Structures are given as C-alpha cells and as structure tokens.
Amino acid sequence: MTLTGECLCGGIKYRIAGRVFAARSCHCSRCRKAFGGAASAFASVDPAHFQWVEGEALLTVYESKQGAGKQFCRVCGSMLTGTYKGEVMGVALGCLNEDPGVDIEAHIFVGSKANWDVVPEEVPQYETYPEEE
C-alpha cells in the first residue's frame, strides 16, 4: 500500500510506502490548539516508510523539550506530522489523500477534553495516555 498526503496549499507533499497504524484521537488542550478543533485525528507510521516528495523547505517545526514535535506548513498552517527527536513518527489523518483503511482505535486524554466536545461511546476512551499492557 502506498499513501500520499499534502498540506492545504499543496506546497508540501509526502509519500508513505506502507500502512499507517494505531489511529487515535487526542483531546488534550495542546492537540486542540495544534489542530484548531475538538481533537486530533492521528496515526503512527514506520519512519522508514515515510518520505517527503515536495516542499520540505516549507516545513516549520515545533519541538518540545522532551523531543516530541509537530511539523506544519509555514504557508497554509496545515499540521502534517508528529515527530520524535526529528524523526517522523505519525501523520495527521486529515492530510492523507487516500483512505488509509483505519478506524480511530482510541480517544486519549478525554480527561482534559473541552466541555463542548462529545466523544463517541463505542470507541475506547482513556483519561490520559493508555498504559502499555
């Protein structure tokens, strides 16, 4: 499977030579601000399968002190990827051009969701980040 994605203005394009996995929606205040909505819709990607195709020079990066970051288009503001220590680890599902064939598996950080946000009950919900089992 090959997936492609791009920002709103089309200046940045990427390709994933494989599947995305662990699709989740995060309801924390930081994701609300980054995505400009009730929550993020995000999935993990194997970094070895991710490749920038066009416009990498248009990327702007926000990185926390812990090394987690987000890459945005500096022209249109689209939030494209999540990074860890500079390596792409996930993508915003809304920027994919094709159906990735995944469903949201979990809603995380619902303990800090906005009061106006309604989370579907049929998908697992976690107050914070789910612990590894």
Side-chain angles (χ1 to χ4, degrees):
M1 167 180 257
T2 298
L3 296 169
T4 61
E6 63 189 319
C7 63
L8 177 63
C9 71
I12 301 173
K13 298 179 186 327
Y14 62 83
R15 178 180 303 119
I16 303 167
R19 298 191 170 275
V20 297
F21 55 94
R24 61 215 174 270
S25 183
C26 182
H27 298 262
C28 77
S29 64
R30 295 171 59 87
C31 280
R32 287 197 307 272
K33 289 177 177 136
F35 283 79
S40 65
F42 208 75
S44 296
V45 63
D46 181 337
H49 294 164
F50 184 90
Q51 173 188 0
W52 296 110
V53 174
E54 185 179 321
E56 192 173 354
L58 297 176
L59 285 173
T60 297
V61 179
Y62 170 79
E63 189 169 272
S64 71
K65 292 177 185 174
Q66 294 78 25
K70 299 191 180 311
Q71 293 178 310
F72 300 82
C73 174
R74 73 168 183 231
V75 176
C76 66
S78 293
M79 207 304 287
L80 297 162
T81 68
T83 60
Y84 184 68
K85 296 187 178 178
E87 187 169 49
V88 173
M89 303 300 287
V91 295
L93 290 171
C95 291
L96 290 172
N97 293 323
E98 297 84 19
D99 178 356
V102 297
D103 293 324
I104 297 293
E105 297 174 11
H107 289 270
I108 61 174
F109 290 97
V110 296
S112 62
K113 73 176 185 62
N115 290 336
W116 43 265
D117 184 7
V118 178
V119 180
E121 293 181 16
E122 60 274 6
V123 179
Q125 298 181 27
Y126 300 91
E127 288 293 304
T128 58
Y129 196 82
E131 297 295 322
E132 296 289 329
E133 297 182 347

